[in-house]
Amino acid sequence: MKKLPSKKMQTEPISFRSYRLANASERNWDSFRHSAPRAYNDLKRQLFQEQGELCAYCEEYVPENQRS
C-alpha cells in the first residue's frame, strides 16, 4: 500500500463541506454515497488528484473511466 503523507486536503470540496455540515451525525459512507452523489464524486475526484491518480493499495495509475 502506498504511504501518503498525513495532511489535510488543500481545499475541501464545497459540495462535500455542505453535506458534512448538514449531516454532522451521519457517519455512513454508503448513505453519503447514495444521498449526495455530487458531493461524493467531487470528493472522490479530489482524493484521486491528491494521490497522483494512483490507487492507494497497488500504486498503479487508475484511468478516470475506472474510478468507481
Side-chain angles (χ1 to χ4, degrees):
M1 181 183 297
K2 183 173 178 105
K3 178 77 171 157
L4 296 173
S6 179
K7 66 176 185 172
K8 284 190 155 188
M9 269 187 187
Q10 295 297 325
T11 305
E12 182 178 36
I14 294 170
S15 58
F16 175 66
R17 179 177 174 77
S18 297
Y19 176 85
R20 184 176 56 79
L21 293 173
N23 298 280
S25 64
E26 181 64 50
R27 299 286 185 232
N28 183 302
W29 184 254
D30 283 330
S31 177
F32 163 60
R33 180 177 175 184
H34 296 295
S35 66
R38 179 175 174 220
Y40 172 80
N41 287 323
D42 289 348
L43 180 61
K44 185 173 68 170
R45 185 174 19 263
Q46 180 143 352
L47 289 170
F48 266 106
Q49 182 180 3
E50 290 185 8
Q51 291 173 195
E53 314 292 323
L54 300 177
C55 171
Y57 296 100
C58 68
E59 300 183 44
E60 295 288 325
Y61 171 76
V62 180
E64 190 168 353
N65 65 346
Q66 294 180 6
R67 298 176 195 169
S68 55

